[in-house]
Amino acid sequence: MKRLSLASLASALAAATTLAAVPASAEQLRVGLAAIATSVDPHFHRAGYNFDLRENVSDALVYNNGVSGSVEPRLAQSWRIDGDTKWSITLEPKAKFDDGNPLGADDVIYSLCRVRNVPNSPGLFSSFIATIAGIKDLGDGKIEISTKKSDPNLLRSLSNIGIVENPTGRTLTYDDTTCGNDNWLDTAAFNNGGLSPGIGHYKVKKFTPDVDIALERNEQYYGTPAAYDSVLVKSLPDNSARIAALLGGSVDVINAVPINSIDSIQSSDKLHLSFMPSTLLIFLLPDQGQEPTPKVSGTDGKNPFLDPRVRRALNLAINRDEIAETIMGGMAQPASQIVVDGIFGHNPTIEPFPYDPQEAKRLLAEAGYPNGFSLTLSAPSDRYVNGAQVAQAVTAMLSQAGLNVTLETFPLSIYFTKASAYEYSLYLAGAAADTGEGLSQMINVVGTRNPDRGWGGANRGRYSGPETDKFLEEAQSMLDDAKREELLRAAVAQARKDEALVPLYHEFGVWGVRNGVHFDANANLTNIFYTARPE
């Protein structure tokens, strides 16, 4: 199998962008995805597959470009910062909802208030609005957002929140709780088509959970229109089914290209790859929030993961190079920290974890487990590229270090619900830099879990490091870029020192594309349909 290195990625990308134009119908783009959105509601669940749909059907105030890294206007036509804590934003005057009503300041305020008030959300978007103190309607299509402290990444954070139409008939007064409202738009109504998710390049025509999503172009869109009249998004979690659909011509694009299918795509005269290194970190989280911990035995009721020596043993027991090269076929970069190289906040002084199962055994013995203990590793069966195979490899590596490990996998539909209920002792997950830099990723993964504050959304292992939090808190309000990066790097180093989690690798984003279709890869791993076009 041909290894997909950074050099070959660059070469293939150059070739893909110079393909000869092939006649193609612009009527429908057919896409097969490893996981599709679990809801049309743009505020329901902070997860990558839901970011996909939201980006295509519900514009945010700004767009965080996953290729250039720049922040671009969307529903915010322009903005400026006054002092350290006030942002003056002019809304796009041409933006209208599906019913013809123009975008107003009241819609923005309602949407940002609703983020904290979505019932039964498996993961709220609260961290993206954590620093907002107030929002004022200044009239003439302008709003003023004031923050509790200076927040250099405010707009990047708001790039993740789709704006929906305010149904209350009044302008809410923004606060940290309910904004004085007790009747919020219903998630079920978004899913059954009773409500539109906002203003976007496409409108949702049909949503069938775990099956498909049909989109149609929004002919009233205020910006550059999408090239395709419609998009059919199919749920194809099985790798073989997804690649077969591409090779057989029933879809035009697939994401999460299976490792063993890269050669077949590269050698085909009908297909090409679109790809980019991503910020997505795949990692293991050990339970550090309860005792006893579920799915662990042989410890006399103790939670062994509360001991940093045990967490260190986990890190030393895993051969990351083997996972990246063999299991991921070179489509991954071994990780020693949360923030990937090249992204703001990456700490270049941190050394890679050595692979040392003997030292792992010694640390386990020192912690009181000379004969190891029994545990269950939990993983999703259908979420990450080769995720199940990676979990199998990790199970074998931990067993070689003296642990008795059983692997269990669950479909995506229930996996994170169980994780949010703290039903796992050690589980596999992933998280990307949603704002295009490392601060939001660090807060999401290792910030002390606090849903009200919007911290630790992905930290279901409940690591809590006072020093890490202090550095992140200071970085969150530091406008000076150099000082902010210094603080962020300190937080990265502290999380590493605390053995907060078990980072495995940063995944590459790779799409398989039919010739005649242009499809943009991006570092955020978002499936963006509105930039696709016939070639």
Side-chain angles (χ1 to χ4, degrees):
M1 182 177 68
K2 187 182 298 182
R3 183 183 184 276
L4 193 60
S5 65
L6 283 173
S8 64
L9 282 174
S11 175
L13 181 58
T17 58
T18 57
L19 288 171
V22 176
S25 170
E27 291 184 357
Q28 187 177 72
L29 177 71
R30 304 161 302 165
V31 184
L33 300 183
I36 65 173
T38 56
S39 176
V40 177
D41 185 342
H43 308 147
F44 177 66
H45 182 197
R46 176 178 173 166
Y49 34 85
N50 289 322
F51 281 121
D52 280 351
L53 183 59
R54 198 285 305 160
E55 180 57 47
N56 288 283
V57 303
S58 182
D59 274 4
L61 288 173
V62 297
Y63 171 60
N64 179 29
N65 192 312
V67 177
S68 68
S70 61
V71 175
E72 301 173 0
R74 278 291 192 270
L75 296 180
Q77 183 186 61
S78 61
W79 55 85
R80 72 173 188 270
I81 184 168
D82 300 318
D84 290 344
T85 60
K86 293 187 185 300
W87 295 74
S88 178
I89 296 174
T90 300
L91 301 179
E92 171 55 59
K94 295 182 291 184
K96 294 182 179 181
F97 292 97
D98 292 349
D99 57 11
N101 289 332
L103 171 73
D106 64 306
D107 302 307
V108 176
I109 297 171
Y110 175 86
S111 298
L112 298 186
C113 283
R114 184 175 182 265
V115 163
R116 288 193 178 93
N117 294 280
V118 181
N120 304 313
S121 168
L124 292 170
F125 288 66
S126 305
S127 66
F128 295 128
I129 60 170
T131 65
I132 296 179
I135 310 175
K136 292 181 181 179
D137 180 355
L138 300 180
D140 297 324
K142 296 183 179 180
I143 61 173
E144 179 186 87
I145 299 180
S146 58
T147 55
K148 300 169 186 176
K149 53 189 176 182
S150 55
D151 181 0
N153 289 320
L154 177 66
L155 290 181
R156 289 186 180 274
S157 295
L158 295 182
S159 72
N160 294 290
I161 298 177
I163 302 302
V164 299
E165 190 169 5
N166 172 22
T168 67
R170 61 191 176 93
T171 300
L172 302 183
T173 300
Y174 184 88
D175 61 35
D176 281 347
T177 54
T178 65
C179 302
N181 184 57
D182 60 1
N183 186 18
W184 300 98
L185 291 175
D186 182 32
T187 295
F190 282 108
N191 294 341
N192 65 28
L195 288 174
S196 168
I199 303 169
H201 290 79
Y202 286 101
K203 299 185 291 185
V204 179
K205 185 177 181 180
K206 184 185 72 170
F207 172 72
T208 308
D210 300 321
V211 179
D212 58 29
I213 304 171
L215 307 178
E216 60 182 3
R217 183 168 55 201
N218 180 3
E219 301 295 348
Q220 302 183 70
Y221 187 66
Y222 63 92
T224 303
Y228 286 95
D229 295 337
S230 64
V231 179
L232 178 62
V233 185
K234 301 179 181 181
S235 175
L236 295 173
D238 181 75
N239 284 347
S240 59
R242 197 163 60 257
I243 190 64
L246 180 66
L247 294 172
S250 62
V251 298
D252 305 307
V253 180
I254 64 169
N255 75 332
V257 172
I259 307 301
N260 58 5
S261 300
I262 289 175
D263 284 351
S264 61
I265 292 177
Q266 288 181 315
S267 61
S268 170
D269 60 359
K270 297 180 180 180
L271 306 171
H272 64 275
L273 295 173
S274 181
F275 43 78
M276 180 174 285
S278 83
T279 65
L280 177 64
L281 173 72
I282 303 300
F283 56 95
L284 303 180
L285 272 180
D287 175 23
Q288 299 168 61
Q290 57 190 326
E291 191 169 48
T293 185
K295 304 179 186 296
V296 165
S297 61
T299 63
D300 294 328
K302 293 181 180 179
N303 177 354
F305 303 122
L306 294 176
D307 191 322
R309 292 171 295 186
V310 173
R311 302 196 299 272
R312 175 69 176 175
L314 297 180
N315 271 311
L316 296 180
I318 294 173
N319 188 334
R320 292 163 174 80
D321 289 336
E322 180 178 330
I323 291 175
E325 292 294 328
T326 304
I327 309 301
M328 293 300 293
M331 291 173 58
Q333 179 177 316
S336 57
Q337 59 182 290
I338 295 170
V339 184
V340 69
D341 188 12
I343 294 295
F344 186 90
H346 174 81
N347 190 327
T349 67
I350 291 180
E351 296 291 332
F353 283 107
Y355 171 53
D356 193 342
Q358 293 305 312
E359 176 64 8
K361 288 181 179 180
R362 190 194 69 77
L363 285 169
L364 289 172
E366 184 179 296
Y369 308 106
N371 299 314
F373 53 86
S374 297
L375 72 143
T376 297
L377 171 63
S378 306
S381 59
D382 54 0
R383 173 63 184 100
Y384 307 110
V385 175
N386 273 24
Q389 294 92 323
V390 168
Q392 290 171 357
V394 168
T395 297
M397 291 172 186
L398 294 180
S399 298
Q400 290 172 3
L403 296 171
N404 181 16
V405 186
T406 300
L407 174 64
E408 66 175 7
T409 61
F410 296 100
L412 180 63
S413 58
I414 63 173
Y415 181 73
F416 285 105
T417 300
K418 287 178 170 288
S420 295
Y422 308 122
E423 295 183 18
Y424 307 142
S425 64
L426 182 67
Y427 77 101
L428 185 142
D434 298 332
T435 60
E437 49 72 56
L439 179 57
S440 67
Q441 188 176 25
M442 286 290 293
I443 288 174
N444 186 34
V445 176
V446 292
T448 294
R449 190 168 172 84
N450 184 334
D452 293 335
R453 190 185 185 196
W455 278 44
N459 182 8
R460 297 177 180 89
R462 290 172 289 177
Y463 158 77
S464 180
E467 287 297 307
T468 302
D469 284 352
K470 183 186 75 170
F471 291 131
L472 294 176
E473 184 83 38
E474 292 180 29
Q476 204 173 24
S477 60
M478 176 58 66
L479 291 175
D480 184 291
D481 284 347
K483 292 180 179 178
R484 185 167 75 257
E485 185 161 37
E486 182 180 339
L487 288 165
L488 188 50
R489 286 175 172 175
V492 169
Q494 187 64 49
R496 167 67 182 264
K497 179 181 178 182
D498 292 345
E499 307 289 344
L501 75 167
V502 183
L504 298 177
Y505 55 88
H506 289 95
E507 186 180 301
F508 287 173
V510 184
W511 288 259
V513 187
R514 178 177 63 82
N515 288 354
V517 173
H518 173 89
F519 192 87
D520 287 326
N522 65 87
N524 298 332
L525 295 182
T526 308
N527 295 290
I528 300 177
F529 311 132
Y530 58 78
T531 58
R533 63 181 186 272
E535 284 193 325

